[in-house]
């Protein structure tokens, strides 16, 4: 058996190597390394694939969140509601812009932001909600949209882990005012470096986002607003344009791997929980994350000794991180419990049946 990878980017590349290599060579031959034609082509293709009117590529997902908040005119002191259990980038930008992150707990089954806790935290300073579609399935956007409408709040979807997921038939990134994704290499649609994109169906917002991402320029050397310099490199756009053609297949492969994991682990009820699927959303399995009743860290070490990688996303809720403790002294019981229970198993587009079987056999042997 070949060495099991947590993420296997090399095999994915080898499958489409001629197309990727040619796309890279075409950019080099054109020498249009910044804002080359393929950047607009990719943006158009991605918009069509995601059924979104406007897509603005940017340098990375974190930049995308910043540009989204700037485009919505969020100002220092405004409060933005975010889940306590997520990656740091979602909250980092809120703090950097002088906004106030307001943390809420998450649902113990889906790991996504808990709408009932959201409503409890809304006050006169609240301006926006940032649901994170964690691990590959959408948050409960119907309830969140109703809350946002009731209180006149913006919604920025962070769907960096859930591109292709659908909530009641609508693609992630299309439900809120703005959607933001990342093309970090390990993402379901990943480039060979950093990259991101901002999605909206609002023409005025799209124009504003485009302007902010390009130094606030309305046209070259004319700056109508304060902006940033956040571009998707032409080389990365060319790579993504080729990989986008295979994204449906990649998602299918991940779902197939998840189904096999489910089947092989189902008899360990009481010791672990396989990923819960909400009836309202499809799952694209950026991660296959299980919950361990007890002994999570011992299991991680046991798997490592057998050559099986795993990851803990995330070992400490953001409100408990040193840099963010100043924002709240509240407790977040679900997030805190999940941080001690979750473990993500190998998941990628080229995971073999024998790999999955070995991982699951090893988990069974841990519990013997």
């Amino acid at each position: 058996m070949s060495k099991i990878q947590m993420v296997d980017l090399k095999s994915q590349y080898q499958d489409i190597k001629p197309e990727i290599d040619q796309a890279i060579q075409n950019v080099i031959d054109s020498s249009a390394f910044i804002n080359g034609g393929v950047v607009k082509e990719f943006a158009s293709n991605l918009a069509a694939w995601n059924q979104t009117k406007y897509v603005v590529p940017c340098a990375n997902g974190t930049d995308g969140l910043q540009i989204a908040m700037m485009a919505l005119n969020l100002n220092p002191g405004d409060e933005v509601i975010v889940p306590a259990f997520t990656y740091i980038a979602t909250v980092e930008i809120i703090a950097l812009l002088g906004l106030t992150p307001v943390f809420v707990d998450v649902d113990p089954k889906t790991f996504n932001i808990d709408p009932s806790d959201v409503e409890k935290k809304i006050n006169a300073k609240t301006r926006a909600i940032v649901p994170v579609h964690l691990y590959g399935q959408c948050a409960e956007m119907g309830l969140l949209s109703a809350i946002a409408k009731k209180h006149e709040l913006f919604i920025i979807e962070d769907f960096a882990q859930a591109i292709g997921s659908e909530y009641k038939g609508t693609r992630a990134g299309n439900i809120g005012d703005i959607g933001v994704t990342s093309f970090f290499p390990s993402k379901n649609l990943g480039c060979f470096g950093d990259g991101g994109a901002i999605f909206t169906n609002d023409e005025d917002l799209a124009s504003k986002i485009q302007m902010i991402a390009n130094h606030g320029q309305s046209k070259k050397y004319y700056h109508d607003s304060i902006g940033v310099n956040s571009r998707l490199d032409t080389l990365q756009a060319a790579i993504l344009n080729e990989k986008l053609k295979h994204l449906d297949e990649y998602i299918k492969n991940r779902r197939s791997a998840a189904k096999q994991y489910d089947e092989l682990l189902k008899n360990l009820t009481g010791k672990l929980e396989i990923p819960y699927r909400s009836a309202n959303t499809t799952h694209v399995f950026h991660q296959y994350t299980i919950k361990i009743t007890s002994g999570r860290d011992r299991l991680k070490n046991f798997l490592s000794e057998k050559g099986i990688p795993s990851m803990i996303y995330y070992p400490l809720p953001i409100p408990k991180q040193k840099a963010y403790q100043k924002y709240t002294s509240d407790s977040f019981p679900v997030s805190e419990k999940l941080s001690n229970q979750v473990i993500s198993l190998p998941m990628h587009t080229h995971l073999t049946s024998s790999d999955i079987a070995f991982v699951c056999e090893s988990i069974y042997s841990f519990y013997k």
Side-chain angles (χ1 to χ4, degrees), residues 23-319:
I24 292 171
Q25 190 61 56
N26 290 345
V27 174
I28 294 170
D29 289 344
S30 73
S31 299
F33 299 114
I34 302 294
N35 289 332
V38 75
V39 178
K40 288 184 179 178
E41 181 185 333
F42 168 63
S44 176
N45 290 340
L46 182 58
W49 184 89
N50 205 60
Q51 300 159 23
T52 308
K53 288 184 180 178
Y54 308 100
V55 171
V56 179
C58 58
N60 54 70
T62 309
D63 276 8
L65 290 167
Q66 177 177 343
I67 294 163
M69 292 178 198
M70 292 172 70
L72 293 172
N73 297 322
L74 302 187
N75 296 309
D78 289 344
E79 293 188 357
V80 179
I81 293 177
V82 287
F85 188 69
T86 185
Y87 183 57
I88 204 72
T90 311
V91 182
E92 188 174 49
I93 287 303
I94 297 169
L96 283 170
L97 290 174
L99 310 171
T100 302
V102 175
F103 299 101
V104 300
D105 218 342
V106 297
D107 182 277
K109 289 183 177 180
T110 66
F111 315 127
N112 281 324
I113 193 167
D114 181 351
S116 65
D117 203 22
V118 168
E119 192 134 39
K120 294 174 188 174
K121 299 291 179 74
I122 293 171
N123 61 46
K125 293 183 179 180
T126 310
R127 293 289 311 285
I129 306 168
V130 185
V132 180
H133 302 327
L134 204 65
Y135 300 150
Q137 69 179 336
C138 291
E140 190 52 63
M141 293 302 295
L143 292 175
L144 291 170
S145 296
I147 291 168
K149 184 177 181 180
K150 175 182 174 183
H151 297 278
E152 298 183 336
L153 305 176
F154 297 115
I155 291 182
I156 302 170
E157 292 177 74
D158 181 338
F159 71 113
Q161 298 186 17
I163 191 166
S165 176
E166 295 183 358
Y167 181 84
K168 293 185 176 180
T170 300
R171 285 270 167 96
N174 288 334
I175 308 162
D177 298 278
I178 299 176
V180 178
T181 200
S182 163
F183 303 127
F184 187 79
S186 63
K187 293 295 191 288
N188 290 21
L189 177 63
C191 56
F192 288 3
D194 268 322
I198 309 159
F199 298 65
T200 186
N201 289 300
D202 184 297
E203 184 177 5
D204 291 339
L205 265 181
S207 296
K208 197 169 185 181
I209 288 164
Q210 182 78 59
M211 187 165 60
I212 291 170
N214 188 28
H215 298 287
Q217 293 185 130
S218 55
K219 59 181 180 178
K220 198 170 181 67
Y221 302 127
Y222 289 84
H223 306 267
D224 292 359
S225 69
I226 294 173
V228 298
N229 177 23
S230 188
R231 297 179 291 228
L232 180 66
D233 287 347
T234 309
L235 283 167
Q236 301 301 344
I239 292 162
L240 288 164
N241 212 27
E242 294 304 319
K243 292 183 75 173
L244 179 61
K245 299 171 186 176
H246 303 272
L247 184 52
D248 289 320
E249 175 192 353
Y250 294 162
I251 291 171
K252 182 180 177 182
N253 290 350
R254 286 173 178 271
R255 287 174 172 158
S256 177
K259 185 177 180 181
Q260 187 180 349
Y261 269 129
D262 286 351
E263 186 65 26
L264 294 178
L265 293 175
K266 68 182 181 182
N267 292 328
L268 287 173
T269 303
K271 300 182 185 302
L272 61 79
E273 291 181 31
I274 62 174
Y276 173 82
R277 273 71 146 187
S278 168
N280 290 330
T281 173
T282 59
H283 206 313
V284 295
F285 293 99
H286 175 60
Q287 304 294 346
Y288 186 88
T289 302
I290 59 177
K291 287 196 297 185
I292 304 300
T293 305
S294 64
R296 189 270 312 273
D297 293 346
R298 287 191 293 109
L299 173 61
K300 189 179 193 321
N301 292 335
F302 180 84
L303 293 176
S304 180
E305 289 169 2
K306 290 185 169 289
I308 299 170
S310 61
M311 290 293 290
I312 296 169
Y313 306 108
Y314 301 93
L316 191 64
I318 296 179

Side-chain angles (χ1 to χ4, degrees), residues 321-365:
Q321 299 280 357
K322 185 177 178 181
Y324 295 89
Q325 289 174 6
K326 64 183 179 180
Y327 291 106
T328 183
S329 58
D330 292 351
S331 62
F332 301 88
V334 176
S335 297
E336 290 164 30
K337 187 174 183 180
L338 288 175
S339 291
N340 292 309
Q341 289 184 321
V342 296
I343 183 169
S344 297
L345 303 178
M347 173 55 75
H348 53 80
T349 58
H350 287 67
L351 202 58
T352 67
S353 293
S354 59
D355 287 340
I356 296 169
F358 180 64
V359 172
C360 295
E361 287 164 11
S362 299
I363 294 173
Y364 270 92
S365 68

